[in-house]
Amino acid sequence: METLLIVDDDVSLLETLTMHFEDIEQDGQPRYQVVTATSAAAGLKAAQENMPSVVILDMMLPDRTGLEIIEEMKGLCGDARIILVTAYHDMETTIRAMKAGAFDYIHKPFPDPAALDLVVERALEYRQLSRRADEVHRENAVVRLGDIVGTSASMQQLVKEIGKVTGSAATVLITGESGTGKELIARVIHNYSYDETRPFIGINCSAIVDTLLESELFGHEKGAFTGAVAGKPGKFELAEDGTVFLDEIGDMSLMLQAKLLRVLQEREFERVGGVKRVKLRARVIAATHRTLSDEVAQGRFREDLYQRLKVITLFIPPLRERREDISLLVTHMLERINEKVHKRVTRVPQEVMERLTLLPWRGNVRELENVLTRAVVLAPGDVLRGDDLPALELPSGPDASRASTPGGAMFAPPAVDDVSLIPTLEEAERQLIARAMAVTKGHKGRTCQILGISRPTLERKLQKFGLAQGQGPQVHPYPVKDAS
């Protein structure tokens, strides 16, 4: 039921309009709830209390004019559409009314109740369209934080979570596959948490052997071990009151995990070979491509350290689960790559962009950047060529259900001379999804595993290609091996 507010000092007209609109039904139910007011003050109060969808506002009221309160009325009832009514037929007033934000402007006496009905219905229709447009705008809003670019709902949610994280100094655990940009997220958290004078100190825990990692983290005193000819501060000390980023913390040994746990609990540490306690002032952000809960179950990671690290957990989705972001990422990366290699490759043909969108991207954003860099370097002109991109692949082999988008048979045109049998990329994708659904006998979970896509993505594709009720096209000539 829509709320309709009518503001007019003509009481008999209010009664007539109230009875008229309250008699209108939709699907057997009243279409409108009618609220009335006889003055500008009463109308503004009714607007605030009832939040109407449409306001029919008389131009001449006892205390103020409709023109004078239209802005205030809009502020009180949000996106309500306001229809101004007047007994005067001058053009200047009409222009002023529309400029003030009125949806429409009609004259008394109403020639036909049906004419007023039509204006109100149009107002409701435009209000609904405006709301849908706002929703689409929000869904397609481009997230841009440095090199973080996207329109997907998952990236917008991630940015919201980053915004909450920056308001505290709590420990953060960033998870996600290799190449998704975990260090980039850590730097964004740091940059939005502190001013530019505070240091960001990162260390890759998998790139340094245990015997050296402890010294790298905590520092060492002179003579602490062979070769320690002088004392050296560690990463925790160098970070001061900034950020320490521990990348691939899932690869840290159990011995160092125990020491790190003690540091996080006590907020102080000792240099290797030293006795002086050093305060930990820095915030700690850790990242891993491993599933730490599984590592804990296997005895490879301390549960108490895991609980300490996951105070706030941010998950970065793989690129294959946010393919709608790929075109924006391509545009963004090309700008940076062109500057780096001194080229001007700015044009991406539609078929090339479609191919980039369909590629499995097992290495995620890092792989995308590497592929684009190679393509830009090899491009003879300003056009990104498809010849310099990897070939599309189909799921194949016993590991198909575990791969991001499993490899195997080349996703190539049929080995025939008749080019009319070569499908478009869209048709090839349609056939692939149809075949995968056939192989899994309609099991959407297994189909998502085979194709390396999320459930919402699969649902959108099924709707797009008309496969939701199983009315898909013939699936030859691209066979897919059963992943079971």
Side-chain angles (χ1 to χ4, degrees):
M1 183 185 297
E2 302 287 355
T3 299
L4 177 62
L5 171 61
I6 307 175
V7 185
D8 200 300
D9 60 344
D10 187 338
V11 176
S12 62
L13 178 62
L14 288 181
E15 292 175 350
T16 301
L17 292 179
T18 298
M19 288 189 293
H20 171 74
F21 283 107
E22 286 183 344
D23 285 340
I24 298 175
E25 293 187 349
Q26 185 177 50
D27 299 327
Q29 299 295 325
R31 175 76 167 117
Y32 300 103
Q33 174 189 358
V34 181
V35 178
T36 63
T38 56
S39 68
L44 291 171
K45 185 173 184 292
Q48 186 175 23
E49 293 175 347
N50 296 278
M51 294 299 292
S53 303
V54 177
V55 179
I56 299 176
L57 177 63
D58 190 24
M59 180 69 77
M60 300 304 296
L61 294 168
D63 45 353
R64 297 169 70 185
T65 69
L67 272 179
E68 289 174 346
I69 68 169
I70 189 170
E71 282 292 337
E72 192 174 349
M73 181 75 72
K74 289 173 66 178
L76 290 173
C77 49
D79 61 350
R81 294 300 185 263
I82 299 176
I83 301 168
L84 275 174
V85 179
T86 183
Y88 302 96
H89 289 254
D90 63 292
M91 185 178 296
E92 181 182 349
T93 305
T94 301
I95 293 173
R96 289 173 60 200
M98 303 310 290
K99 186 176 180 180
F103 171 77
D104 209 339
Y105 183 85
I106 56 179
H107 300 96
K108 292 180 181 179
F110 306 126
D112 183 356
L116 183 58
D117 292 350
L118 181 61
V119 175
V120 172
E121 285 296 336
R122 276 199 312 114
L124 289 171
E125 181 182 350
Y126 273 83
R127 178 173 179 266
Q128 187 62 33
L129 287 173
S130 177
R131 286 190 164 189
R132 290 177 184 171
D134 287 343
E135 290 171 2
V136 170
H137 176 73
R138 286 194 296 270
E139 292 171 359
N140 294 332
V142 179
V143 173
R144 292 186 185 274
L145 283 178
D147 289 329
I148 302 176
V149 180
T151 61
S152 61
S154 59
M155 289 305 294
Q156 292 186 53
Q157 181 60 34
L158 178 60
V159 170
K160 290 178 184 177
E161 292 172 358
I162 290 173
K164 296 175 184 177
V165 169
T166 57
S168 74
T171 302
V172 179
L173 176 63
I174 304 174
T175 65
E177 295 179 2
S178 295
T180 49
K182 295 184 286 294
E183 181 174 352
L184 177 62
I185 297 295
R187 288 186 178 276
V188 168
I189 293 173
H190 171 80
N191 291 339
Y192 279 80
S193 297
Y194 309 120
D195 60 55
E196 59 184 14
T197 63
R198 300 200 192 186
F200 177 93
I201 305 294
I203 185 168
N204 190 324
C205 299
S206 66
I208 303 176
V209 295
D210 284 346
T211 53
L212 295 178
L213 183 57
E214 183 177 3
S215 173
E216 286 292 320
L217 290 175
F218 309 123
H220 63 261
E221 298 291 357
K222 179 180 179 180
F225 50 84
T226 303
V229 296
K232 176 186 174 183
K235 302 296 186 183
F236 283 170
E237 201 170 340
L238 292 171
E240 300 175 344
D241 54 356
T243 301
V244 173
F245 175 57
L246 304 177
D247 198 10
E248 297 305 347
I249 198 170
D251 295 341
M252 182 180 284
S253 70
L254 288 169
M255 179 194 71
L256 274 180
Q257 289 177 32
K259 293 186 176 183
L260 176 60
L261 174 64
R262 187 170 65 251
V263 171
L264 293 178
Q265 288 174 336
E266 299 176 4
R267 300 298 295 179
E268 58 182 19
F269 57 93
E270 298 170 357
R271 289 184 179 182
V272 177
V275 293
K276 181 182 177 182
R277 306 291 285 180
V278 180
K279 288 289 185 182
L280 173 61
R281 295 185 293 154
R283 177 189 207 160
V284 175
I285 300 178
T288 180
H289 74 281
R290 300 182 184 277
T291 304
L292 290 189
S293 57
D294 292 345
E295 297 295 300
V296 169
Q298 296 296 322
R300 293 190 292 264
F301 202 86
R302 294 180 63 102
E303 183 172 7
D304 46 7
L305 177 57
Y306 174 49
Q307 296 299 331
R308 176 69 63 171
L309 290 172
K310 70 167 192 173
V311 174
I312 300 173
T313 302
L314 301 178
F315 171 70
I316 308 177
L319 190 55
R320 65 180 176 276
E321 291 185 4
R322 53 184 188 100
R323 295 184 183 274
E324 59 267 49
D325 293 340
I326 290 178
S327 61
L328 278 171
L329 279 167
V330 169
T331 303
H332 176 76
M333 287 180 174
L334 283 179
E335 293 177 3
R336 186 175 59 195
I337 293 168
N338 278 318
E339 183 177 354
K340 183 179 178 180
V341 301
H342 306 292
K343 296 285 289 287
R344 287 192 56 80
V345 179
T346 57
R347 297 169 56 201
V348 184
Q350 182 178 351
E351 62 271 17
V352 173
M353 188 66 81
E354 289 176 353
R355 185 168 171 183
L356 287 166
T357 303
L358 290 174
L359 282 165
W361 301 121
R362 298 179 187 86
N364 294 292
V365 178
R366 182 187 299 134
E367 182 187 5
L368 173 62
E369 183 170 16
N370 291 340
V371 166
L372 289 175
T373 301
R374 177 180 182 275
V376 168
V377 170
L378 296 178
D382 64 347
V383 179
L384 194 73
R385 302 187 309 171
D387 294 345
D388 299 322
L389 301 179
L392 287 169
E393 299 177 346
L394 278 181
S396 178
D399 294 330
S401 64
R402 295 192 298 272
S404 300
T405 299
M410 295 302 295
F411 198 113
V416 294
D417 294 329
D418 187 357
V419 295
S420 66
L421 295 179
I422 300 175
T424 62
L425 283 173
E426 184 171 298
E427 178 61 24
E429 183 184 18
R430 178 183 179 128
Q431 292 188 18
L432 172 60
I433 293 173
R435 179 58 181 166
M437 286 288 286
V439 165
T440 62
K441 298 180 175 61
H443 192 291
K444 294 180 180 178
R446 288 184 59 213
T447 300
C448 289
Q449 287 184 315
I450 291 174
L451 298 176
I453 59 178
S454 65
R455 183 65 172 262
T457 298
L458 176 63
E459 297 288 358
R460 288 197 301 271
K461 298 289 186 183
L462 292 175
Q463 290 293 334
K464 174 183 177 181
F465 295 132
L467 301 174
Q469 288 77 38
Q471 72 276 28
Q474 296 297 313
V475 297
H476 63 283
Y478 303 112
V480 180
K481 186 180 291 186
D482 194 334
S484 60

